[in-house]
């Protein structure tokens, strides 16, 4: 049984004559006991890898104005008639190469569920039954709308909404928050909602990243000469319009370098997942690793500090496309350092962030 189902099933209610309804008339409907909700929000996942599942997912994703902000009259005909006629086949192939066949779901869904379970256990140890924990996806299922409404129905009058993106970006953090507030617009009784800010500077997050690098380097038969920190890309225009993402990525790399005690060019920043005709922030990861190989750097490692869980952008794009570009350009060993996923030090960092943001809402158990 999932975390949310168990919590909903066991949620206590007050009836007339007891608890919050001690003075209510006899015909007053039952009211769930007040609780605090914590929602972990991630990007999303298709329900399956077939054409129509991929098309539904891509249509929702690429129709988001935070992701592609071109005028609808110009973008939607191109998207619906041309891009979505063929893109689902290519994307479906990419997802099939990484699909969790045992659970019949994407690795992102598997990992986010496990992260949620561990966070729920950590919060239960701190706060007992005061807190209900669940997760949602901005695109696909479980939807933000369904999860927030389920929490509200279970008595969550205060909800901490946590987009699992260490660095703030309009196409990730902002659109996740947008969707949460859209749900609140539909509710007669709105819960109080707090959103978690970017946490890329949190010492426990940086130390968890550093620990994965140390472990990978110690395990490597040939130590990498360069570590490439690859972040998902955004159009350069976003930076000029005030989105702090690029700056926060650069600072993440610097903080990681300082935590490792490295100097100079031992760690470099690049950006992946670019599409469309306009200029994006760079350098582009796939081109940068090939250039490193041509410069004589035969052994490199790649880490993805912007992703809280491995997904198609890391397991397929980095492990296949970007790796191939490096090897074809003359590279010899390519080490991909997995995302923090459900590592204990990552969960501890998330719990530290959550506990800080819950201040004033709940109190620790004695």
């Amino acid at each position: 049984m999932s975390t949310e189902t168990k919590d909903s099933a066991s949620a206590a209610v007050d009836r007339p004559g007891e608890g919050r309804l001690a003075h209510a008339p006899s015909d007053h409907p039952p009211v769930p006991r007040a609780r605090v909700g914590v929602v972990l929000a991630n990007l999303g996942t298709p329900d399956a890898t077939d054409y129509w599942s991929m098309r539904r997912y891509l249509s929702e994703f690429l129709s988001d104005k935070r992701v592609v902000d071109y005028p609808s009259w110009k973008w939607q005909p191109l998207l619906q008639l041309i891009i979505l006629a063929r893109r689902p086949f290519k994307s479906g192939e990419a997802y099939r190469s990484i699909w969790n066949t045992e659970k019949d779901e994407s690795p992102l869904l598997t990992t986010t569920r496990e992260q949620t379970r561990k966070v729920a256990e950590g919060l239960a140890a701190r706060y007992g039954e005061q807190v209900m924990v669940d997760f949602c996806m901005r695109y696909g299922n479980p939807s933000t709308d369904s999860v927030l409404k389920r929490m509200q129905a279970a008595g969550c009058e205060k909800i901490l909404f946590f987009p699992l993106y260490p660095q703030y970006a309009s196409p990730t953090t902002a659109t996740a928050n947008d969707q949460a507030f859209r749900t609140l617009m539909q509710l007669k009784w709105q819960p109080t909602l707090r959103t978690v800010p970017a946490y890329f500077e949190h010492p426990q997050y940086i130390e968890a990243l550093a620990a994965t690098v140390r472990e990978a380097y110690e395990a490597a038969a040939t130590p990498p000469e360069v570590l490439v920190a690859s972040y998902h890309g955004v159009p350069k225009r976003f930076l000029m319009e005030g989105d702090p993402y690029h700056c926060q990525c650069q600072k993440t790399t610097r903080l990681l370098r300082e935590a490792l005690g490295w100097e100079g060019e031992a760690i470099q920043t690049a950006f992946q997942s670019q599409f469309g005709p306009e200029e994006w922030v760079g350098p582009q990861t796939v081109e940068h690793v090939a250039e490193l190989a041509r410069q004589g750097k035969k052994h490199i490692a790649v880490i993805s500090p912007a992703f809280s869980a491995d997904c198609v952008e890391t397991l397929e794009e980095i492990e296949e496309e970007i790796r191939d570009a490096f090897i074809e350009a003359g590279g010899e060993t390519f080490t991909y350092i997995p995302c923090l996923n459900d590592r204990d030090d990552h969960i501890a960092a998330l719990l530290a962030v959550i506990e800080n943001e819950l201040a004033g809402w709940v109190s620790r158990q004695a």
Side-chain angles (χ1 to χ4, degrees):
M1 184 181 291
S2 66
T3 302
E4 65 271 17
T5 304
K6 289 191 293 183
D7 281 339
S8 299
S10 63
V13 297
D14 287 335
R15 292 178 170 80
E18 63 182 34
R20 291 191 295 171
L21 299 182
H23 304 286
S26 59
D27 62 346
H28 196 292
V31 177
R33 301 265 174 88
R35 308 173 76 188
V36 172
V38 174
V39 180
L40 306 182
N42 218 319
L43 181 70
T45 173
D47 294 324
T49 62
D50 62 278
Y51 173 82
W52 290 108
S53 295
M54 291 305 310
R55 183 177 178 118
R56 284 193 300 272
Y57 173 72
L58 291 171
S59 180
E60 183 181 13
F61 174 49
L62 295 174
S63 294
D64 186 350
K65 286 287 190 178
R66 291 283 195 180
V67 175
V68 181
D69 60 357
Y70 302 148
S72 296
W73 65 266
K74 179 186 297 185
W75 174 243
Q76 282 299 321
L78 176 64
L79 174 64
Q80 300 297 332
L81 299 177
I82 299 176
I83 296 174
L84 293 180
R86 56 179 185 269
R87 181 72 176 267
F89 293 109
K90 181 178 180 181
S91 295
E93 182 180 355
Y95 270 95
R96 279 191 293 276
S97 72
I98 65 165
W99 201 248
N100 182 342
T101 54
E102 180 181 350
K103 293 182 178 292
D104 192 24
E105 62 187 26
S106 74
L108 179 65
L109 181 56
T110 304
T111 300
T112 306
R113 183 186 296 109
E114 187 62 13
Q115 289 172 329
T116 303
R117 183 187 69 79
K118 291 186 175 183
V119 166
E121 288 179 352
L123 292 177
R126 290 165 170 77
Y127 306 117
E129 296 183 358
Q130 299 177 75
V131 177
M132 174 181 175
V133 183
D134 208 338
F135 74 95
C136 69
M137 297 293 178
R138 170 60 182 89
Y139 315 104
N141 295 301
S143 69
T144 303
D145 185 76
S146 66
V147 171
L148 289 180
K149 286 179 177 176
R150 182 164 60 241
M151 281 197 150
Q152 193 261 1
C156 293
E157 297 179 11
K158 299 174 181 178
I159 296 177
L160 181 68
F161 190 76
F162 191 173
L164 290 176
Y165 309 110
Q167 302 81 17
Y168 174 96
S170 173
T172 53
T173 311
T175 189
N177 291 338
D178 288 347
Q179 196 72 352
F181 286 111
R182 286 191 191 99
T183 295
L184 264 60
M185 291 171 65
Q186 305 171 37
L187 300 177
K188 287 287 190 294
W189 185 357
Q190 291 181 333
T192 299
L193 189 74
R194 284 181 182 172
T195 61
V196 176
Y199 58 98
F200 68 98
E201 295 178 289
H202 197 286
Q204 286 178 254
Y205 161 73
I206 294 295
E207 181 50 40
L209 284 179
T212 66
V213 174
R214 295 188 195 101
E215 292 167 11
Y217 274 50
E218 289 170 3
T222 303
E225 301 164 85
V226 175
L227 173 64
V228 176
S230 181
Y231 302 84
H232 64 78
V234 293
K236 188 174 182 180
R237 171 171 53 87
F238 284 23
L239 170 62
M240 298 298 103
E241 292 171 351
D243 191 309
Y245 175 71
H246 179 266
C247 299
Q248 292 183 0
C249 292
Q250 297 287 354
K251 188 170 183 178
T252 302
T253 300
R254 175 175 64 79
L255 292 173
L256 177 57
R257 182 176 65 244
E258 292 172 357
L260 292 167
W262 293 358
E263 297 180 357
E265 296 298 306
I267 177 170
Q268 302 175 14
T269 299
F271 297 87
Q272 63 185 87
S273 307
Q274 302 179 22
F275 69 92
E278 66 179 304
E279 183 181 2
W280 285 51
V281 294
Q284 189 172 357
T285 304
V286 67
E287 297 175 354
H288 187 63
V289 298
E291 181 59 27
L292 286 174
R294 288 190 287 268
Q295 292 174 0
K297 304 297 185 183
K298 302 300 183 183
H299 314 283
I300 69 168
V302 176
I303 191 171
S304 300
F307 297 94
S308 62
D310 277 305
C311 53
V312 70
E313 285 86 356
T314 62
L315 298 175
E316 194 275 336
E317 186 176 359
I318 292 179
E319 281 278 53
E320 297 179 23
E321 178 186 349
I322 292 171
R323 176 191 293 272
D324 289 349
F326 176 69
I327 299 301
E328 289 170 7
E332 295 178 9
T333 60
F334 181 100
T335 301
Y336 171 62
I337 300 174
C339 293
L340 295 178
N341 295 320
D342 63 338
R343 287 172 55 104
D344 289 345
D345 50 4
H346 186 212
I347 300 302
L350 297 181
L351 286 168
V353 172
I354 291 169
E355 187 166 14
N356 181 68
E357 298 301 324
L358 286 177
W361 276 7
V362 290
S363 54
R364 273 182 174 263
Q365 294 186 126

